[in-house]
Amino acid sequence: MKNLDIIVDLQYGDCGKGKVAHYLCEKTKYTHVVRYNGGANAGHTIYHKGRKVVTHQIPVGVMFGIKSVIGPGCVVDPELLEKEILELKDAGINVSKKLFVANNTHVVTKAHKDEDAKDAKIGTTKKGIGYAYRDKYIRLGKRAEDTPELKPYTIDFYKEVVNKPDSMILMEGAQGFGLDIDWGDYPYVTSSSCTSAGALLNGFNYSNVNSVWGVAKIYETYVGNKKFEPEEEIFKKIRELGQEYGATTGRPRQCNYFNLDTFRKAVKINGVTHVVISKMDILRELNEWKVIENGKVKNMKTEKAMKEKIIQELKPFGVKKSNVFFSEKKDTI
Ligand code: IMP
Ligand code: MG
């Protein structure tokens, strides 16, 4: 049964997965929306009914009254979850009877956050993510089913989601390909699987996949301690125009041109069927259409040429032109 639509980020996060998730929920009748990796390190900016809402752990489905689940591939922070529930309530969104946490999702504790607070190497979000996954893998972790604060939300994910007949599920990813634990630029990565395969680890398999929506930006951004941004004025302009500051930590994001080399790799490994390229409006204002190919900057000169190039690149991967969307709005593709 092809009942999964998966959203993945093809760069370093912050490409507009929240926007795509919101769009797909408007378009498709989902029975469930599932967050499949990461935790409170994520920041999804969504425009709902004309209002800006930032989510961290809670899937976008709650805004549409769809059962929304924090899946077993995630790590959940009960304290920050409570805070986020209240923030959504303030924004007029009630999560009651819509928000669930899988029994077997691992929990982020205060001790994890205290350890992460000392990080000086990676430039983490200090949300305890790596330490919670570490404890999961060394088999010392605590799961949602053993956490009293999470009792009102916990479900048997197999029974309630995986094995439910007639389900149609949106898998909402976090972070991105360049931050993936295996395929990202290690060690400057997060500690979870940010690919479509990572979505499947939540109890699904290849025969479930209906579509894979890959999301990228027409330029790139990265937040963390490695050097990413070249010393050129243009990237400072991109940062200001694009408001490239972290939704979770407020840190300035480093900017660079669209990298075709990593884009191809991300498209291939994720098996994307649809692509959304965000922030066309920002680059149009600067009118500088450059890409990185084979490690070198290449001037595409015009918006049209750059779009054509991306469409051509996607052809060998079986992504049709009609499935490539160039987005120039904050609130929709
Ligand atoms: P951690 O996930 O907090 O351990 O951080 C590891 C790296 O991933 C750091 O470079 C973070 O800035 C980055 N990171 C984690 N979550 C996100 C996100 O949602 N968007 C962008 N970068 C992220
Ligand atoms: Mg973000």
Side-chain angles (χ1 to χ4, degrees), residues 12 14 41-43 122-125 175 179 189-190 222-224 251:
Y12 302 85
D14 308 316
N41 49 350
I122 307 299
T124 69
T125 60
Q175 290 82 50
L179 296 171
V189 295
T190 189
Y222 155 84
V223 203
R251 290 178 293 175

Side-chain angles (χ1 to χ4, degrees), residues 98-219:
K98 282 174 254 168
L99 177 66
F100 304 91
V101 179
N103 267 340
N104 50 342
T105 305
H106 276 252
V107 172
V108 181
T109 63
K110 170 136 190 334
H112 294 142
K113 286 182 275 188
D114 288 346
E115 267 190 272
D116 201 8
K118 297 179 201 130
D119 160 70
K121 181 180 171 192
I122 307 299
T124 69
T125 60
K126 313 271 194 273
K127 297 288 187 273
I129 303 298
Y131 299 90
Y133 279 112
R134 175 200 62 195
D135 282 356
K136 169 178 173 172
Y137 285 103
I138 59 170
R139 290 150 293 164
L140 285 177
K142 188 178 160 193
R143 308 210 292 190
E145 60 194 345
D146 301 315
T147 309
E149 306 99 280
L150 292 173
K151 258 278 162 296
Y153 306 105
T154 48
I155 54 165
D156 177 334
F157 193 79
Y158 178 73
K159 207 169 131 207
E160 299 295 329
V161 185
V162 177
N163 203 33
K164 268 267 183 243
D166 303 320
S167 61
M168 187 65 206
I169 307 166
L170 179 64
M171 301 296 285
E172 188 184 344
Q175 290 82 50
F177 185 76
L179 296 171
D180 179 76
I181 185 73
D182 295 303
W183 297 103
D185 189 10
Y186 194 90
Y188 296 100
V189 295
T190 189
S191 301
S192 69
S193 297
C194 316
T195 58
S196 53
L200 298 185
L201 289 173
N202 287 253
F204 304 100
N205 65 72
Y206 56 87
S207 69
N208 294 120
V209 181
N210 178 57
S211 68
V212 179
W213 286 71
V215 190
K217 278 197 288 220
I218 197 67
Y219 53 85

Side-chain angles (χ1 to χ4, degrees), residues 13-15 17 42-45 247-248 253:
D14 308 316
C15 290
K17 288 181 295 298
H44 291 172
T45 307
T248 299
R253 297 175 182 146

Side-chain angles (χ1 to χ4, degrees), residues 289-307:
W289 304 97
K290 290 181 180 166
V291 297
I292 296 171
E293 190 170 26
N294 303 322
K296 291 196 192 84
V297 177
K298 188 169 172 182
N299 194 348
M300 302 308 302
K301 296 194 179 98
T302 65
E303 177 175 351
K304 189 163 175 276
M306 181 131 171
K307 282 181 173 168

